[in-house]
Amino acid sequence: MNTFRQYLELTKPRVVAMLVFCAVIGMFLAVDSDGQRVLPTWHSGIFGALGIWLASASAAAFNHLIDQRIDKLMARTSHRPLATGQLTSMQVFVFAMTLGIVSMLILVFLVNMLTAVLTFFSLIGYAVVYTAYLKRATPQNIVIGGLAGAAPPVLGWTAVTDSLHPYALQLLLIIFVWTPPHFWALAIFRVDDYSRAQVPMLPVTHGVKFTRWHIFFYTVLLFLVTLLPYLTGMNGLIYLFGAVVLGAGFLWYAVKLFNPPDDYFPMKMFNYSIIYLMVLFAFLLADHWLVQPPVHLPVRFDPIV
Ligand code: HEM
Ligand SMILES: CC(C)=CCC/C(C)=C/CC/C(C)=C/COP(=O)(O)OP(=O)(O)O
């Protein structure tokens, strides 16, 4: 592997691509204080996405740095550049710091302070609170830590409007509730890895059966939470259709997981979780721009900040 690819791997490019995708959709879902659709300017769109991307990549690189001992012990992560010794801790530290500082400079000077502050908290939330503390401390690690990963649509939104709208928090809530079934499906499949590395993930501490019930509970909750954008008048029937069909698919996986046809089934659910989120956000976007103004529940929500 050449050096460029090793540094690229530190940034968890596919996960971060998804975070930026959610942030960009957040930008295009933004409304002003009168509830009117607004578009990102070229400036806020490009620098907002760049800053959020670099901050997420920095957080991912810090995660590699802090987790190198664990990563060495798990089959899924043992090939990572620090685990194999292809990069040194100092190289990764300098890389992560550089990305973090550049992202903050971009957000503070070229976007706005609100987005910079919220992105900074997300970076610290993932790199320090989740990775260095929660991950090793409690099986609720990914539930609480999921807050940082759920932030991107809010960050995209604030990059455009410089204000925090309650509608944006609904998007955060969706990703927040989506994260446990997303991760625990993978954790069931990788339970031996986590057990070997002594990471207290739910299937390790409480068993697979208990984890399946948690996945089911969060999937039902996710189904309900995804109805909120319709119920609050943020989105219309096109979105509702997408949310119900996609949610029914997710529920099917959660139920089938109680009696899986084969050992690989949890990974099929994990893969579905990613398609689910991507398509759900595409529906939010399509609905927002194809159907306007929303015709139901004329509730007015003012920005919080
Ligand atoms: C605390 C929260 C989260 C945890 C613990 C978590 C955990 C994981 C893990 C362990 C993987 C497997 C990576 C690998 O194969 O090496 C993964 C993959 C992935 N996650 Fe998450 N995740 C979280 C939040 C998120 C969020 C918020 C998003 C996007 C909105 C996301 C999107 C993805 C994507 C797209 C992949 C597939 C990457 C690939 O194909 O390699 N995850 N996640
Ligand atoms: C600024 C901002 C939006 C920050 C969010 C950063 C970020 C990369 C969030 C994604 C969450 C994620 C991939 C968790 C997996 O970590 P893990 O350590 O459990 O997984 P691993 O074993 O694959 O490393």
Side-chain angles (χ1 to χ4, degrees), residues 43-63:
H43 186 91
S44 64
I46 288 173
F47 289 118
L50 188 63
I52 295 163
W53 174 50
L54 292 175
S56 308
S58 165
F62 276 119
N63 172 272

Side-chain angles (χ1 to χ4, degrees), residues 52 104 106-122 151 154-165 168-169 303-305:
I52 295 163
M104 283 305 130
I106 289 173
L107 293 174
V108 169
F109 293 109
L110 300 174
V111 182
N112 57 55
M113 197 47 113
L114 178 61
T115 309
V117 169
L118 293 177
T119 306
F120 180 73
F121 282 127
S122 307
V154 174
L155 306 177
W157 188 302
T158 60
V160 174
T161 63
D162 197 10
S163 67
L164 192 55
H165 196 286
L169 297 181
I304 299 166
V305 181

Side-chain angles (χ1 to χ4, degrees), residues 29-305:
L29 293 178
V31 294
D32 62 20
S33 52
D34 294 326
Q36 296 301 311
R37 293 180 298 190
V38 289
L39 273 171
T41 58
W42 282 104
H43 186 91
S44 64
I46 288 173
F47 289 118
L50 188 63
I52 295 163
W53 174 50
L54 292 175
S56 308
S58 165
F62 276 119
N63 172 272
H64 277 246
L65 179 65
I66 295 164
D67 271 354
Q68 51 183 304
R69 187 195 60 80
I70 291 176
D71 285 349
K72 236 180 260 178
L73 297 171
M74 302 204 298
R76 180 177 61 81
T77 52
S78 57
H79 63 276
R80 289 182 171 175
L82 268 172
T84 53
Q86 291 161 307
L87 291 177
T88 64
S89 297
M90 184 49 90
Q91 285 173 315
V92 177
F93 178 75
V94 171
F95 179 66
M97 280 301 277
T98 307
L99 292 182
I101 290 168
V102 172
S103 76
M104 283 305 130
L105 291 175
I106 289 173
L107 293 174
V108 169
F109 293 109
L110 300 174
V111 182
N112 57 55
M113 197 47 113
L114 178 61
T115 309
V117 169
L118 293 177
T119 306
F120 180 73
F121 282 127
S122 307
L123 198 166
I124 298 296
Y126 177 65
V128 181
V129 182
Y130 169 73
T131 305
Y133 173 64
L134 288 172
K135 190 168 170 178
R136 292 149 175 80
T138 161
Q140 291 302 314
N141 47 15
I142 60 105
V143 180
I144 313 162
L147 200 56
V154 174
L155 306 177
W157 188 302
T158 60
V160 174
T161 63
D162 197 10
S163 67
L164 192 55
H165 196 286
Y167 277 173
L169 297 181
Q170 300 187 129
L171 305 173
L172 179 147
L173 191 60
I174 289 175
I175 303 183
F176 180 68
V177 177
W178 163 89
T179 299
H182 161 73
F183 174 71
W184 283 330
L186 175 131
I188 286 179
F189 184 73
R190 297 287 183 182
V191 62
D192 293 343
D193 254 2
Y194 284 116
S195 176
R196 194 175 321 117
Q198 296 184 315
V199 182
M201 293 301 183
L202 197 60
V204 176
T205 58
H206 290 72
V208 168
K209 225 172 161 183
F210 190 76
T211 307
R212 286 179 185 144
W213 274 106
H214 268 60
I215 290 177
F216 178 72
F217 167 73
Y218 274 98
T219 310
V220 172
L221 197 60
L222 179 64
F223 189 92
L224 298 176
V225 163
T226 56
L227 301 180
L228 280 179
Y230 175 76
L231 296 175
T232 57
M234 174 177 163
N235 283 92
L237 284 170
I238 294 180
Y239 165 73
L240 183 66
F241 169 80
V244 168
V245 172
L246 287 163
F250 217 164
L251 281 170
W252 180 84
Y253 273 101
V255 171
K256 191 107 178 141
L257 192 64
F258 284 113
N259 218 337
D262 53 64
D263 288 349
Y264 192 71
F265 188 78
M267 282 309 282
K268 288 189 183 150
M269 180 169 185
F270 169 78
N271 291 334
Y272 177 80
S273 76
I274 293 164
I275 293 165
Y276 168 92
L277 195 66
M278 217 175 341
V279 179
L280 186 80
F281 269 66
F283 264 102
L284 281 164
L285 182 69
D287 179 273
H288 182 74
W289 286 99
L290 293 175
V291 190
Q292 185 74 7
V295 284
H296 49 281
L297 283 187
V299 185
R300 186 191 149 106
F301 289 102
D302 292 322
I304 299 166
V305 181

